[in-house]
Every structure is written in structure tokens, then in C-alpha cells.
Amino acid sequence: MIDVTDRDGLLTVTLNRPDKANSLTAEMLDSLAVLLEGADPRAVIVTGAGEKVFSAGADLDEARAGLATSPLWERVSGALAALPCPTIAALNGTLAGGAFGMALACDIRLAVPGASFFYPVAKLGFLPQPSDPGRLAALIGPARTKLLLMAGAKLSVEEALAFGLVDRVVERSDLLADAEALCGPALTGDADNVRAIKAMVP
């Protein structure tokens, strides 16, 4: 359910459960955490399988059993954020719920036309992942963060781009190619220099 390719230092991670909207189970989250904590890539792309949804967040059955509040979410986003190389979320569709953590932990977010964005924790009676409000506010500001988290607003891809939640909107057919192109300097340049540049950016 987690597909991984490593090509010349470019690690591409695909959430591959399209029949379940790429919703995440505890097993998938644990696998992601172990993978990212042990990886030393030159660049990382995180994407989803299918044509509509990057991830709907937690698997519904497992969410009801406690996954919604599991520390595994924070472990995954923390591992992504700690990587010293460029990380890109190539959002092939809608981003919802706990899956926000992975996208927010990445350096760059690309999205396809028609994608939507919502994080319905207030409606569902959960708190967001601990690091998500801060990362979200750093991108879109505190008021818009409250719009998403407290008011449960659903953003179109156009609104997400205008807010700064995503950095570019690209055609679906170009999504992975564009993400790979953005990784180019990190793959061909001096790895220590790229890491130093990332460390300079708050």
C-alpha cells in the first residue's frame, strides 16, 4: 500500500490505496515512518495513486479505533520535516484530514486542477496533529489557518494557491515530471551545498 522507488537518490513514495481514497492505516504510517527515518536520499517526492485523491486521511475503521489521535501521524510528518534534502508533495488530488501533516512537512507542494483541501477536525471532535497548526499558519497565516481548522472550510485549488498552501498548480499529466524537474539541482549538484541552503531557510 506504500510504493517506493529510489532512482539515483530520488526517493518517490506513493500512497497506493486508491480504492479507499488512499486513506492511511497504522501499518502504512508505521512503514512510512521507518522508511523516512532510515533514508538518506538526495530528494523526496510524496504522491498518491489514482486521479482524484492524494489522501483522505485516516482509514475510517481505524480512525474510530483510535488511529485519529495516534502519535504515528506526528512521527511521519516529523521524519519528513527532518530530512535535509528537498521534499515535494505532488498532490494528485484532494488532501484531507491527517494527510495534511505530510504535505505541510514538505518543502514544496504541487497540486493538480480540481484538487480540494479540508481538515475537518472541529467537526469530527479531534485535535489536529500538534505540528500542523504552526506549519499551516507559517504558510497561510493565523486567520486562514483558523478558517480551515475551526470553521472547517473547504478550499478549492485556486484558493489554496492564492493562500500559499500550494506553490504551483500543474496539469495532472505533468505532475510527477514537474516534481522531478524541481529535484534536478539537488540530484546533480553538490549535496552538502543543497543541505546547507535548506538549513538557511527558516
Side-chain angles (χ1 to χ4, degrees), residues 87-171:
T87 54
I88 298 176
L91 304 171
N92 58 299
T94 293
L95 170 66
F100 258 81
M102 286 183 286
L104 293 172
C106 287
D107 299 314
I108 298 167
R109 283 152 294 281
L110 308 180
V112 297
S116 58
F117 304 81
F118 57 100
Y119 201 154
V121 281
K123 178 180 178 180
L124 297 175
F126 299 118
L127 291 174
Q129 296 170 46
S131 62
D132 284 0
R135 289 191 179 122
L136 195 52
L139 291 173
I140 68 175
R144 288 168 172 172
T145 296
K146 292 170 186 175
L147 183 70
L148 271 171
L149 297 181
M150 296 175 68
K154 187 173 185 178
L155 303 183
S156 67
V157 73
E158 293 82 10
E159 288 174 308
L161 180 65
F163 283 11
L165 178 57
V166 299
D167 302 295
R168 284 183 180 172
V169 178
V170 299
E171 292 300 323

